[in-house]
Amino acid sequence: MRKKRWLCLMLAFAALFSFAGCNSEETGLTIDGFSIPEPITAEDTDMTKDTERETMMYSSSLMDENLLITHNVLDYGAAANGTKNDGPAIVSAMKAAEQAGGGIVFLPAGDYLVSQQLTVPGNVTLCGEWIGNGEGFENGTTLLVNVGRGDNSTSSSSAFLRMSAGSMLSRMNIYYPGQNAEAPVAYPYTIANNAYLGFTVDSVNIINPYRGIRVVNHNVITLNQINMSPIREGMYVDLIYDIPRYTRITMSPELWVDYAAAKGAGQETAIREAVSQVVGMRFGKQDWAYLYDCDFSGLDTAVRLEDSENGSGNFNGQFYNITMSDVNYGFHFRSVASVGVSVAYADIDAKVSAVRSETGFHYPAHVFFNASELNAGGIAVDNAGDGALMFTECTFENWATML
């Protein structure tokens, strides 16, 4: 069902907006005079270490060239032992990189206790050694968040990690040792924007956030290969302009379950219960958003589209290759821009409704589903609004209760 020709066309279309003008000698495809680069692969590359710490190299899954590590937090006093507060050392390394005009601040594998908020400066990448989703946590870089416990603030300024324009966070785990699945404790968002212009988060496990990521009033955001087991909310994004990209996002209880098992902490039943009440991705206003290769399971609602928090607009964009399983609701449409939403190659298996809309979903707003599979224990498509839901080449299980 996942046809390669569709994927190539979608990737080429997305690349047309962000890579126009690339050297055609480096690519094999040209559309209307624009050269399209080779698509980003899903393969990770391993960290390659030189003998000198200052020349340690790595390739990110979002980059196709080696980057020089310019600052190592161990040189600024970090212990990476999980007990000493390494926040000041990380801040010192980032400030040094900022003063040098930018750079790569490297956190070698280890547990970094951080008892303060961190702001990643512009043109600075905070990079660790990332082992992947649920595998070998003890061998990677983990930030242990020791700030914000009991703070139910939802503001961007209260987030643990604040991302400046042109900054990047890559290849690490983030864990809240003070969180308890049996009696969840409020924390602010883990990551939020600190400026209007773009930042990137790539290859990050946010293991047990109360709230994961908040991005509001922003431009050109890239979130790639992020895994999390949220307790209250996975991601809230609003007032985003000019083609935000969300790729390879996974939300489920499995990350936290695996981490707890690796640490001998247990609580699997409580973890699954906590995550089952979550809205995964909640979107307000978005202009031409692209969401590819995302997976949601064990949540209450996978994706919810609604009005902007300041009433200035709502969502338009496309979803491609989306999997939703063991959720109460797949797509929940409270409001959609008149430009519309496209969903292709979605596989939705919901306990209540695969697609749900409310009265705020008004005509001429429309959502177009293509080549998707929808199944629900209740009503597969529950449309309470008067907007248009269109389905082409879709498969419905439990046809008798489809509408």
Side-chain angles (χ1 to χ4, degrees):
M1 184 175 182
R2 308 288 192 258
K3 299 180 180 178
K4 293 183 179 178
R5 59 186 179 87
W6 275 89
L7 178 58
C8 292
L9 287 172
M10 301 286 271
L11 287 172
F13 182 69
L16 179 61
F17 286 90
S18 58
F19 296 103
C22 292
N23 187 346
S24 61
E25 293 180 357
E26 298 177 358
T27 68
L29 179 62
T30 301
I31 297 179
D32 293 336
F34 291 96
S35 297
I36 308 303
E38 294 296 325
I40 296 169
T41 66
E43 297 179 357
D44 292 326
T45 53
D46 294 330
M47 185 76 70
T48 303
K49 300 178 181 178
D50 250 343
T51 54
E52 295 295 328
R53 180 179 299 158
E54 290 75 16
T55 59
M56 192 171 296
M57 311 290 287
Y58 84 106
S59 289
S60 166
S61 58
L62 278 181
M63 301 177 185
D64 57 4
E65 60 180 333
N66 290 327
L67 297 179
L68 179 64
I69 300 300
T70 60
H71 299 78
N72 189 311
V73 295
L74 299 183
D75 295 333
Y76 292 82
N81 60 11
T83 57
K84 176 189 173 184
N85 178 18
D86 286 328
I90 296 171
V91 170
S92 295
M94 290 193 297
K95 284 184 176 180
E98 181 183 24
Q99 291 170 357
I104 312 296
V105 175
F106 179 55
L107 287 73
D111 292 337
Y112 295 81
L113 184 69
V114 181
S115 300
Q116 65 192 82
Q117 291 175 276
L118 300 176
T119 298
V120 184
N123 302 319
V124 171
T125 293
L126 191 63
C127 176
E129 293 186 83
W130 189 75
I131 308 301
N133 185 7
E135 299 178 0
F137 291 104
E138 65 276 10
N139 299 319
T141 298
T142 302
L143 299 182
L144 303 176
V145 183
N146 190 37
V147 62
R149 192 174 194 274
D151 183 355
N152 200 27
S153 172
T154 60
S155 68
S156 298
S157 61
S158 63
F160 168 59
L161 275 163
R162 290 172 293 179
M163 307 298 294
S164 303
S167 64
M168 182 173 182
L169 179 70
S170 184
R171 294 180 174 247
M172 63 182 65
N173 306 306
I174 301 174
Y175 179 69
Y176 290 79
Q179 190 56 268
N180 184 345
E182 295 178 350
V185 179
Y187 282 86
Y189 282 94
T190 301
I191 299 171
N193 61 307
N194 193 44
Y196 174 72
L197 293 177
F199 70 87
T200 298
V201 178
D202 171 49
S203 302
V204 173
N205 291 326
I206 311 176
I207 296 167
N208 59 341
Y210 191 73
R211 295 182 176 92
I213 298 175
R214 173 185 169 89
V215 186
V216 175
N217 193 23
H218 200 65
N219 192 18
V220 192
I221 181 177
T222 300
L223 303 180
N224 175 67
Q225 193 163 281
I226 299 172
N227 311 297
M228 69 172 79
S229 298
I231 298 171
R232 181 65 177 271
E233 183 173 69
M235 190 180 301
Y236 175 64
V237 190
D238 188 21
L239 299 174
I240 308 298
Y241 309 95
D242 291 340
I243 314 180
R245 290 174 174 82
Y246 314 89
T247 55
R248 303 168 67 196
I249 309 294
T250 299
M251 295 189 189
S252 79
E254 303 307 324
L255 180 66
W256 191 1
V257 167
D258 291 344
Y259 185 88
K263 299 297 183 180
Q267 290 195 329
E268 178 176 350
T269 300
I271 290 171
R272 295 188 184 281
E273 175 60 26
V275 176
S276 71
Q277 304 175 51
V278 165
V279 174
M281 302 180 79
R282 184 164 63 96
F283 292 113
K285 178 177 175 57
Q286 306 272 293
D287 283 345
W288 311 111
Y290 290 83
L291 294 93
Y292 298 144
D293 300 331
C294 298
D295 193 313
F296 307 88
S297 66
L299 314 180
D300 176 68
T301 302
V303 174
R304 177 180 293 163
L305 308 185
E306 59 190 35
D307 280 329
S308 170
E309 62 182 14
N310 70 0
S312 65
N314 36 31
F315 183 99
N316 74 79
Q318 69 171 276
F319 296 81
Y320 181 88
N321 195 29
I322 307 297
T323 301
M324 302 170 174
S325 61
D326 192 30
V327 296
N328 287 327
Y329 302 96
F331 284 101
H332 181 188
F333 302 123
R334 286 181 168 173
S335 179
V336 172
S338 58
V339 177
V341 174
S342 172
V343 181
Y345 296 106
D347 189 346
I348 309 172
D349 191 353
K351 298 175 184 177
V352 182
S353 292
V355 177
R356 175 190 182 194
S357 75
E358 296 186 11
T359 54
F361 176 53
H362 286 305
Y363 181 83
H366 60 278
V367 180
F368 178 71
F369 285 84
N370 180 58
S372 297
E373 297 181 4
L374 300 91
N375 183 40
I379 301 174
V381 179
D382 185 3
N383 188 10
D386 58 11
L389 295 174
M390 297 170 284
F391 301 87
T392 301
E393 296 186 13
C394 292
T395 300
F396 296 85
E397 297 187 29
N398 299 328
W399 179 262
T401 60
M402 184 192 72
L403 299 173

